[in-house]
Amino acid sequence: MTAAARAGSSAAGTAATAGYDVAAVRAHFPALAEGAAHFDGPGGSQTPDVVADAVAATLRAAIANRGSVTAAERRADAVVLAARAAVADLLAADPGGVVFGRSMTQLTYDVARTLAKGWGPGDEVVVTRLDHDANIRPWVQAATAAGATVRWADFDPATGELAPDDVARLLGPRTRLVAVTGASNLLGTRPDVPAIAAAAHDAGALLYVDGVHLTAHASVDVAALGADFFACSPYKFLGPHCGVLAAAPALLETLRPDKLLPATDAVPERFELGTLPYELLAGTTAAVDFLADLAPGGPGTGGRRADLVAALAAIEAHEDRLRRRAEAALLELPGVEIRSRARHRTATLLLTFEGRDAGDAYRFLARAGVNAPAGSFYALEPSRHLGLGDDGGLRVGMAPYTDDADVDRLLTAVADFLAG
Ligand SMILES: Cc1ncc(COP(=O)(O)O)c(C=O)c1O
């Protein structure tokens, strides 16, 4: 280990996070046996055995379209209802307003097109330059098609902060929707969503929150955030590759998405085009249960929602300890710039290297068995606004299975890259 890496160990400490047994967590991830240190969680987390087992078991059992006549139909129905209940516990949402889809991107396009049916010239939507493109382009394109105006809120590139006032001053009586991220997948910045929600609601606008990055790192309460719509992706929080949208059933009742004539008009099914991926929904439930089981001391008596809140607090503390340790050591290395600077952020670090290409660092680290990709990660507007063009930087993301040995390997590999 290099001096800088050792400094990182001693400066911020490698003592385990209280109440969080990362070795026990790691034992559930077969993929870790391949040997890489995974800092690529923000792109998609590794999957615990129980999630893979739930997916496989659903495919092995008799299953049909949802119904109540055969056991196979009842199984499909139970899988869907269980997944809605699990996501509702994860987000403190109403299970009757949990919509499943292929991805957050697909669900956001669907909602944007549906809402835009009611927009016209003079109407306005507000997007931010802190957001992933999946919470920008669907709104820009839907607004443009409807003849509505798009207004852009900028973040401060020096701090990575998005000030609620910089959103609020764009709002007016014709603002129909504000789209904002719960946490930036490039920088980790967590904007003050409740403050933005209050401003949006004062203006009579709806708030659409991209919760994809946030949900993997913190406990979420959709109502406390003030989100009218909250979208996230189970494959970022240890689940399978699908997307979720949560909204109040009463709000969903007011919307008329395009749908097939024989398909039910009930909410939330009205928004779920075609047959749902039952196996992925079973995996999503297993991922939520796995997270809940990480509550310090094991599941309590308060129910799954209470366990999830406790577990996510422990995960956040664990990831943040590792992030602080890595950050302290990386700052010691000459030529490393850490672009993630917001006061309130997830354990996600965007790095650039003076005079060196982040893509070269990515490939060097990969050869050392450290997976930390470089790019803009579809956060194109943030990358450009930071002055990083379309190339972005190297992203180091902590996950529930990240441990101190991973951080040691990261620090050694970055130091070796810089020395090369
Ligand atoms: C913050 C954020 N929003 C949206 C997305 C898109 O999610 P999906 O792949 O489910 O469409 C991602 C994926 O990386 C993301 O990180």
Side-chain angles (χ1 to χ4, degrees), residues 57-73:
T58 308
L59 291 170
R60 285 212 176 90
I63 197 138
N65 286 341
R66 293 177 70 185
S68 57
V69 176
T70 69
E73 290 169 357

Side-chain angles (χ1 to χ4, degrees), residues 232-324:
C232 60
S233 309
Y235 76 95
K236 307 282 193 185
F237 55 83
L238 317 181
H241 293 85
C242 56
V244 175
L245 173 76
L251 173 60
L252 295 179
E253 288 287 354
T254 65
L255 305 180
R256 298 272 145 215
D258 290 336
K259 60 171 275 299
L260 302 182
L261 204 53
T264 176
D265 200 31
V267 165
E269 286 83 357
R270 186 189 293 177
F271 295 85
E272 296 173 325
L273 305 180
T275 309
L276 286 171
Y278 303 123
E279 62 278 11
L280 304 186
L281 269 51
T284 299
T285 303
V288 172
D289 285 337
F290 181 82
L291 285 169
D293 285 349
L294 300 184
T301 54
R304 183 167 55 188
R305 170 69 192 166
D307 290 339
L308 284 162
V309 171
L312 266 303
I315 290 169
E316 201 177 344
H318 170 72
E319 292 183 355
D320 212 50
R321 181 183 68 76
L322 295 175
R323 190 270 299 168
R324 278 183 276 111

Side-chain angles (χ1 to χ4, degrees), residues 42-44 102-108 130-135 181-186 210-214 231-236 241-244 377-379 395:
R102 190 178 66 246
S103 61
M104 178 275 182
T105 302
Q106 175 248 307
L107 289 164
T108 305
L130 187 63
D131 272 81
H132 184 287
D133 222 54
N135 203 29
T181 192
S184 160
N185 66 311
L186 191 67
D210 174 356
V212 173
H213 189 67
L214 178 65
C232 60
S233 309
Y235 76 95
K236 307 282 193 185
H241 293 85
C242 56
V244 175
F377 308 102
Y378 280 32
R395 185 175 63 180

Side-chain angles (χ1 to χ4, degrees), residues 158-230:
T159 62
E161 308 257 4
L162 175 70
D165 281 352
D166 286 337
V167 180
R169 64 186 176 74
L170 302 175
L171 305 175
R174 296 296 297 272
T175 311
R176 294 285 168 259
L177 181 117
V178 176
V180 71
T181 192
S184 160
N185 66 311
L186 191 67
L187 293 170
T189 302
R190 292 177 60 178
D192 186 347
V193 175
I196 294 170
H201 293 153
D202 279 353
L206 292 167
L207 183 73
Y208 192 99
V209 175
D210 174 356
V212 173
H213 189 67
L214 178 65
T215 309
H217 300 286
S219 94
V220 169
D221 181 326
V222 171
L225 286 173
D228 297 294
F229 300 95
F230 185 93

Side-chain angles (χ1 to χ4, degrees), residues 38 47 61 128 191 224 240 313 342 347 390 404:
H38 283 276
T47 313
T128 92
D390 294 1
D404 281 287

